Amino acid sequence: MKGSLFGALAVSVVLAGCGGGAASGASQAPKLVPDSALTGLLLSADDLNAIMGTSGMTPHPPVSQMGDHRNLLPNLNCLGVWQVNEAPIYESSHWKSVRQQMFRAPDTDKWDSLVVQSVVSYRTTDGARQFFTESTDRWSKCANHNVNIQLNGQALPAWRSGDLTKTDNQLAMPYSRSSGDQTRSCQRALALTANLILDIQACKPQQQSAVTQAVDIADKIESKLPK
């Protein structure tokens, strides 16, 4: 990831009745989202300022490739929680395209608030579902876990995860990023919708209550899906 390591179903079918109307009880599954729509799904600085309660979120250029930090954290159960869009986590799931963008306020390595939002597409809804299922297993093994990493002989901020919250379509995990006055409260979220995985990281200055903005961002992106 550029700038800072911290700094993340099926095609719709309509059943017709004998008289030409929709069959009673038939449901319409979400449509496959084309790659051309991915960039437009990412939230704007104004969107993120509203969600994060900030006023100066600065966007970095969107990227269309994944990072690879397995040399820093070979524990693959935690790598995908520690960072958004890690190639070693996604590579076996045959993802198709990714759009990722980082926002910081202020836009320095000593930021107060951070968002990394990404949308990853798959050729089928089953492919996205398989990745989500595998991630549920990995994330469950990284709950309440300490991550301590050194880069070029220097310790990176210590990282401590909390409990995993999961539903059929969404994972969420809080974590703290500790480094003196740079201690931050964060949340990671992974959401499944149609043929997409939404991979989100959100951090704020140290909070007394849990940070929930990564889930809020995922929900807002999902609300923008083509109908």
Side-chain angles (χ1 to χ4, degrees):
M1 184 186 305
K2 297 182 179 179
S4 170
L5 287 177
F6 303 96
L9 301 168
V11 176
S12 173
V13 177
V14 178
L15 299 178
C18 294
S24 176
S27 60
Q28 190 168 343
K31 297 178 180 179
L32 294 176
V33 179
D35 290 352
S36 59
L38 298 189
T39 300
L41 292 176
L42 297 177
L43 302 189
S44 68
D46 288 343
D47 292 331
L48 294 176
N49 280 323
I51 292 171
M52 297 291 289
T54 54
S55 60
M57 295 297 279
T58 299
H60 285 221
V63 298
S64 56
Q65 60 187 22
M66 296 196 178
D68 188 343
H69 299 104
R70 74 186 103 188
N71 61 315
L72 297 177
L73 183 59
N75 178 353
L76 297 188
N77 289 324
C78 288
L79 180 62
V81 183
W82 180 57
Q83 293 289 311
V84 169
N85 292 154
E86 281 292 313
I89 304 302
Y90 281 86
E91 61 189 5
S92 65
S93 66
H94 307 297
W95 60 278
K96 187 169 57 161
S97 295
V98 60
R99 299 293 185 276
Q100 174 187 301
Q101 191 169 26
M102 180 174 70
F103 290 73
R104 300 189 300 192
D107 189 23
T108 72
D109 287 342
K110 292 186 176 181
W111 45 265
D112 291 325
S113 298
L114 169 83
V115 168
V116 182
Q117 58 173 334
S118 78
V119 183
V120 182
S121 71
Y122 288 79
R123 288 177 174 79
T124 66
T125 55
D126 287 343
R129 169 63 69 180
Q130 180 180 347
F131 177 79
F132 181 83
T133 300
E134 293 170 351
S135 295
T136 302
D137 180 62
R138 291 194 199 98
W139 283 39
S140 67
K141 294 174 181 175
C142 198
N144 300 300
H145 197 88
N146 292 312
V147 173
N148 296 290
I149 296 173
Q150 288 200 345
L151 177 61
N152 298 325
Q154 299 294 316
L156 296 178
W159 189 92
R160 170 75 184 178
S161 62
D163 293 327
L164 173 65
T165 301
K166 56 185 177 180
T167 67
D168 288 344
N169 296 291
Q170 195 172 82
L171 307 178
M173 185 179 290
Y175 72 91
S176 61
R177 175 187 180 274
S178 302
S179 183
D181 62 1
Q182 283 289 296
T183 297
R184 298 291 177 258
S185 298
C186 306
Q187 186 187 44
R188 287 284 283 108
L190 194 78
L192 167 71
T193 181
N195 60 314
L196 304 180
I197 292 290
L198 313 181
D199 200 347
I200 313 294
Q201 175 185 17
C203 294
K204 294 171 64 70
Q206 191 170 18
Q207 306 284 300
Q208 293 298 319
S209 57
V211 169
T212 61
Q213 279 81 1
V215 167
D216 296 339
I217 291 165
D219 290 344
K220 179 70 172 179
I221 292 174
E222 187 171 353
S223 74
K224 296 177 66 178
L225 288 177
K227 303 302 182 183

